[in-house]
Each structure stands twice: as C-alpha cells, then as structure tokens.
Amino acid sequence: MRCCCLFVIIVLSFCQRAAAQKATSISGDFSNYSFPQFVAEIEIRSGYHFYYDAAEMDSFPVNIKADQETLAQLLDRLFEKTLFHYAIDSTGRVFITHRFVINTRLPAGFFAPSA
C-alpha cells in the first residue's frame, strides 16, 4: 500500500505541467498484436507515451480495430472486462495499471488555504 501511495504522489507531481491533452484520432487494424507492438504503433501515430509494467502486459493480446477513435475510446474497448485500467494526463502520458486506478488530477481546491 505504501508503494502505491508513493507512486500516486509521484504521478500527481508530474501532472502539474500545463499542456493541452491531445485529441488525435486513431485508425487501424491492431489484430494479433502483442501489447508492446500496439503501444509502439500508437506512440508513433499519436505522440502519446505509455508507462506500464512490461511483465504484466507482455502476454496481453491485442485484437482490436479502430476507425477515427480517440485513444480513450480505444483503450476503453481494449481493457473492457479486464482488471487493467489506464489514465491519460494532460501532457500525453498514458499510465497502464493492474487492479488500481490512477487519478491524474488533483481535486478542486486542493491547494486552497484551510480556514
């Protein structure tokens, strides 16, 4: 649990950089791809950069087709009915996790002085 909290804190600290989230449309046939092959292709086409545990994802099969979809739409379908989750931050980093969800934004008023 301590490692998870530390990881979330580190991720949130990186998210302070302001940048517009990419709205790249993705099209293609990703049938019979390994997850690393899929990631490499998406990174080339879109400019996003993925972070994931290679040991967890090396045997994750990708069999999906996309037609002018956002990355979020594509990942929603890819990870549907699995224990994998993703988070996309405002700088184009994509975090893939197993069993837990990463929130890449701080709650409103997080830095507001307490009364």
Side-chain angles (χ1 to χ4, degrees), residues 28-49:
D29 184 354
F30 304 101
S31 299
N32 298 315
Y33 274 48
S34 67
F35 191 76
Q37 288 173 316
F38 171 75
V39 165
E41 188 70 28
I42 296 300
E43 286 181 342
I44 290 168
R45 292 180 185 203
S46 68
Y48 286 99
H49 187 73

Side-chain angles (χ1 to χ4, degrees), residues 91-104:
T91 64
R93 292 177 296 204
V94 182
F95 304 95
I96 308 297
T97 59
H98 187 241
R99 292 193 198 107
F100 66 92
V101 177
I102 294 176
N103 186 355
T104 61

Side-chain angles (χ1 to χ4, degrees), residues 3-78:
C3 289
C4 290
C5 290
L6 179 60
F7 180 73
V8 171
I9 290 169
I10 291 170
V11 169
L12 290 176
S13 69
F14 286 127
C15 295
Q16 293 177 354
R17 290 190 287 159
Q21 187 170 351
K22 299 171 180 144
T24 305
S25 293
I26 299 169
S27 295
D29 184 354
F30 304 101
S31 299
N32 298 315
Y33 274 48
S34 67
F35 191 76
Q37 288 173 316
F38 171 75
V39 165
E41 188 70 28
I42 296 300
E43 286 181 342
I44 290 168
R45 292 180 185 203
S46 68
Y48 286 99
H49 187 73
F50 283 71
Y51 296 88
Y52 61 95
D53 182 345
E56 288 182 341
M57 301 305 292
D58 67 346
S59 62
F60 187 87
V62 176
N63 287 300
I64 197 164
K65 293 180 182 180
D67 184 24
Q68 298 297 313
E69 294 184 55
T70 65
L71 181 59
Q73 291 169 327
L74 186 58
L75 294 177
D76 281 343
R77 289 192 308 118
L78 183 64

